[in-house]
Amino acid sequence: MTGVAERAALYLRVSTGRQADSDLSIPDQRRQIENYCQAKGWERVAEFIEPGNTATDDRRPAFQAMIDAALTKPAPFGVIIVHSFSRFFRDQFQFEFYVRKLAKNGVRLISITQDLGDDPMSVMMRQIMMLFDEYQSKENAKHTLRAMKENARQGYWNGSRPPIGYRIVIAGQRGSKVKKKLEIDPIHADTVRLIYRLALTGDPQRNSSPMGIKSITAYLNERNIHTRDGGRWGIASAHQILTRTTYIGEHRFNTRDHKTRAPKPEAEHAIAQVPSIITEAEFRAVQANLKARSPRWTPPREVSGPTLLTGICFCASCGGAMTLRTGKGSSGGMYRYYACSTAARMGKTGCKGLAVRMDRLDRAVIDHLERRILDPERLSILLEQLLHRREEWVERRRSHITELNKRATEAEAKLKRLYEAIENGLINMADLSLKDRIAELTAIRDQAQADAERAQAAVERTGPKVTVESLKHFSEVARAKLRTETGEYHRDHLRALAQRIEVVSKSEIRLMGNKSDLLRTLAAASSVGAAANGVRSFVPKWRARRDSNS
């Protein structure tokens, strides 16, 4: 060949970064292609190396740079040489697309191990080989994914960056493979706990109600609580922490398609058991809060409307919502009542339905809560278990503080040794890694100290011992809140005590909620006094037996 066809570009590729770091594949590809060019008398004018990118798509920097160069006019080279066609592409359709695109600009693709001509038979053979390459690639991907899912089920980490609050540790070795697991990172795990605490009970210093994601993000940034990289928090990162099951000990692997990012069915997920940072009850409660705040799930009227039972009152017969209706009495006056929405929409064929006067049902619900839930003796029984858990929490937190202080001390000691080595001339100040190491140790020390201070403050805010007098005071305050005349505030407090109300008949109703959520509401934040001010919404599950609150 003469002219531009004698100028060749080399394309060298391996599939993974590990191969690029340790494998001899790229040097071997280069050696064989150089020998091929020498035998042909071709000049090597360019080389494109792809260290660790799959050939199933064209999202490869070196590949795109090579294509851009090949499509310029005139082309700087006439042939692109690969070791095998699978180095160029493992997708038959994409392969043919780029081969034809190159051919239009006078550039050919040549494989030194699959040397074929341009006649119809050679083209057909190349297409058949590409189909086999594509099939083999998909089979390899299937088997690799299956092995990775099993690895996850056994509790091992498959790679990538761990979620904030965790760090990777070596768990053992099987042959040449090093097995790794996740363990709790004491530096950042406390930040995760803080985010959940804000979502559940709000800022205890301000006696605030549960915070939304935007408020949590602002809270963290205002107090200079940084991300793992030392940056500022965003809504997306805070939302990911509040919705990731990893924090209750269930890390999900294979949840999305790696190409389209589309979610996969739950049946295809592999769950790895990891140490939990928060309890399952806390996680479920946060999910209920997020769902209640989301306009996708809760109509705006149910969140902001003045009606006491809007959104939590249901017909026991059909499960339909009891919605507000108005009517005219025999004396001509207007009155309001809750009526079964199914019956209103479909008539008696859908549900026989009930209609209950709003003022009577509201009064019955409030009276029941005051008589059953807010009785000081009953509160004492409910809080007994909570207080025991609080003591255990304090002991765990004190142990955590000790670990954080130890880590801060170790980082400080390492910094001192570095400074001493610099003063003694043992370390060259021009070393580029020195600045990064000092910054890393400083960040570890400062973060550990800040986390220890927050944890200590949380312990100090656990509040005074609960007494008969404090329970009585809480009961009185909560009763007053429920009776507020404006309608809005007592609705919030009612939803902190009961999350679902079923109307069985005009003389029978059922109240439901989650017992652990009820306890958390009563002891919100740091003291019983604060509990009277911190309210929230929860999943309707707290009634232990079907007849417990009838």
Side-chain angles (χ1 to χ4, degrees):
M1 294 184 181
T2 60
V4 73
E6 296 176 353
R7 299 166 63 84
L10 283 61
Y11 180 67
L12 316 173
R13 184 189 67 82
V14 290
S15 299
T16 65
R18 184 180 301 174
Q19 287 177 316
D21 293 336
S22 59
D23 202 348
L24 298 177
S25 178
I26 284 182
D28 184 60
Q29 290 178 47
R30 181 186 291 113
R31 180 183 57 80
Q32 292 190 46
I33 294 175
E34 287 177 346
N35 291 339
Y36 182 88
C37 289
Q38 187 175 2
K40 292 282 188 179
W42 292 348
E43 180 186 1
R44 289 172 279 109
V45 297
E47 183 178 281
F48 300 91
I49 302 176
E50 205 79 67
N53 279 299
T54 178
T56 56
D57 57 53
D58 59 1
R59 291 176 293 181
R60 291 171 269 162
F63 178 85
Q64 289 297 338
M66 178 183 68
I67 295 297
D68 290 343
L71 296 182
T72 58
K73 295 184 183 295
F77 43 81
V79 290
I80 293 174
I81 307 178
V82 294
H83 183 268
S84 65
F85 289 133
S86 64
R87 299 297 91 194
F88 187 77
F89 244 113
R90 281 185 178 270
D91 181 284
Q92 197 267 342
F93 175 81
Q94 292 270 47
F95 179 91
E96 291 297 327
F97 170 77
Y98 278 101
V99 165
R100 295 179 184 182
K101 198 171 184 179
L102 292 170
K104 287 182 179 180
N105 203 40
V107 179
R108 294 184 300 143
L109 176 69
I110 294 177
S111 164
I112 64 172
T113 58
Q114 298 159 314
D115 200 355
L116 300 173
D118 295 327
D119 59 281
M121 178 63 72
S122 297
V123 171
M124 184 183 71
M125 289 300 298
R126 185 186 67 203
Q127 291 174 347
I128 292 174
M129 284 188 288
M130 283 307 307
L131 284 173
F132 274 104
D133 281 341
E134 181 178 349
Y135 169 77
Q136 184 182 26
S137 175
K138 291 180 178 179
E139 281 294 296
N140 290 340
K142 181 175 70 175
H143 294 312
T144 300
L145 178 59
R146 184 176 62 198
M148 293 177 73
K149 288 171 67 175
E150 181 57 31
N151 193 59
R153 293 189 189 99
Q154 294 179 15
Y156 296 111
W157 187 246
N158 278 318
S160 76
R161 198 177 193 192
I164 184 171
Y166 291 94
R167 59 189 178 191
I168 300 173
V169 294
I170 295 176
Q173 189 163 347
R174 293 182 182 176
S176 60
K177 291 186 177 180
V178 176
K179 293 289 187 177
K180 299 178 180 180
K181 285 189 174 183
L182 291 185
E183 73 170 13
I184 294 176
D185 181 356
I187 295 294
H188 299 288
D190 207 42
T191 302
V192 173
R193 296 187 185 99
L194 172 63
I195 291 173
Y196 272 87
R197 188 162 64 249
L198 294 174
L200 288 169
T201 59
D203 184 0
Q205 294 180 346
R206 299 179 182 177
N207 290 332
S208 66
S209 58
M211 292 184 180
I213 294 176
K214 190 174 181 179
S215 298
I216 292 173
T217 303
Y219 179 97
L220 297 173
N221 291 329
E222 287 169 3
R223 288 158 179 78
N224 292 320
I225 301 173
H226 300 297
T227 64
R228 177 169 46 193
D229 300 324
R232 294 173 63 81
W233 286 90
I235 292 176
S237 53
H239 180 269
Q240 187 178 46
I241 286 178
L242 290 173
T243 54
R244 200 163 193 169
T245 59
T246 307
Y247 298 109
I248 58 173
E250 297 179 358
H251 179 76
R252 294 180 177 270
F253 174 75
N254 193 43
T255 58
R256 291 183 178 273
D257 185 277
H258 75 284
K259 285 187 177 180
T260 65
R261 305 308 300 163
K264 290 186 176 182
E266 192 166 343
E268 296 185 25
H269 297 180
I271 299 178
Q273 299 300 318
V274 301
S276 60
I277 294 178
I278 60 166
T279 65
E280 185 173 354
E282 289 171 329
F283 182 81
R284 302 303 173 199
V286 166
Q287 305 319 298
N289 252 1
L290 294 176
K291 184 176 180 180
R293 289 173 178 270
S294 173
R296 293 184 180 181
W297 298 97
T298 308
R301 187 69 180 172
E302 292 187 12
V303 176
S304 60
T307 308
L308 180 64
L309 305 181
T310 299
I312 62 172
C313 186
F314 300 88
C315 173
S317 298
C318 68
M322 299 286 284
T323 55
L324 181 63
R325 294 285 187 272
T326 58
K328 186 178 291 188
S330 56
S331 58
M334 297 294 294
Y335 64 91
R336 310 171 80 190
Y337 59 94
Y338 296 105
C340 174
S341 59
T342 305
R345 187 176 67 255
M346 303 174 61
K348 295 298 181 180
T349 57
C351 178
K352 293 182 179 180
L354 284 172
V356 183
R357 289 227 353 208
M358 186 179 76
D359 57 341
R360 293 178 181 175
L361 183 58
D362 289 351
R363 192 182 311 116
V365 171
I366 295 295
D367 289 346
H368 183 81
L369 290 174
E370 290 181 334
R371 188 173 64 255
R372 290 293 302 275
I373 305 300
L374 297 178
D375 176 67
E377 293 184 3
R378 185 175 177 88
L379 284 176
S380 178
I381 296 173
L382 290 173
L383 284 175
E384 181 179 358
Q385 184 180 5
L386 173 67
L387 294 175
H388 177 69
R389 290 206 304 268
R390 186 173 70 171
E391 291 176 1
E392 293 180 343
W393 177 86
V394 169
E395 289 302 317
R396 289 197 304 271
R397 187 52 58 92
R398 284 174 178 161
S399 175
H400 180 56
I401 292 171
T402 301
E403 185 177 356
L404 287 169
N405 286 330
K406 179 182 177 183
R407 188 159 186 177
T409 302
E410 290 175 349
E412 179 66 24
K414 291 178 181 178
L415 279 171
K416 287 182 179 179
R417 288 196 294 270
L418 267 179
Y419 294 145
E420 289 174 359
I422 293 172
E423 291 175 355
N424 295 329
L426 300 176
I427 296 179
N428 186 1
M429 288 292 293
D431 189 344
L432 297 178
S433 64
L434 179 61
K435 183 179 179 180
D436 293 339
R437 181 57 175 162
I438 291 176
E440 179 187 1
L441 289 172
T442 302
I444 291 174
R445 180 198 61 191
D446 294 346
Q447 185 72 49
Q449 290 174 345
D451 289 348
E453 290 173 2
R454 283 198 301 273
Q456 183 62 42
V459 170
E460 294 172 356
R461 290 197 304 265
T462 52
K465 183 178 180 180
V466 176
T467 62
V468 175
E469 290 74 17
S470 62
L471 285 177
K472 184 177 179 180
H473 174 69
F474 167 77
S475 178
E476 291 173 354
V477 172
R479 288 168 189 259
K481 299 292 185 183
L482 285 171
R483 292 292 183 177
T484 300
E485 293 296 330
T486 60
E488 184 173 350
Y489 204 61
H490 73 218
R491 181 199 62 192
D492 292 338
H493 277 268
L494 180 144
R495 294 187 180 196
L497 301 174
Q499 293 82 54
R500 183 181 178 92
I501 298 168
E502 292 185 354
V503 180
V504 181
S505 67
K506 292 189 176 183
S507 60
E508 182 183 3
I509 59 174
R510 290 196 289 256
L511 275 71
M512 305 180 207
N514 186 288
K515 184 177 179 180
S516 62
D517 292 335
L518 173 63
L519 293 175
R520 187 180 297 107
T521 301
L522 295 175
S526 58
S527 67
V528 176
N533 297 315
V535 297
R536 41 171 310 208
S537 298
F538 298 107
V539 182
K541 289 183 180 178
W542 75 260
R543 186 164 54 99
R545 297 179 299 278
R546 294 294 296 176
D547 61 346
S548 63
N549 285 295
S550 298

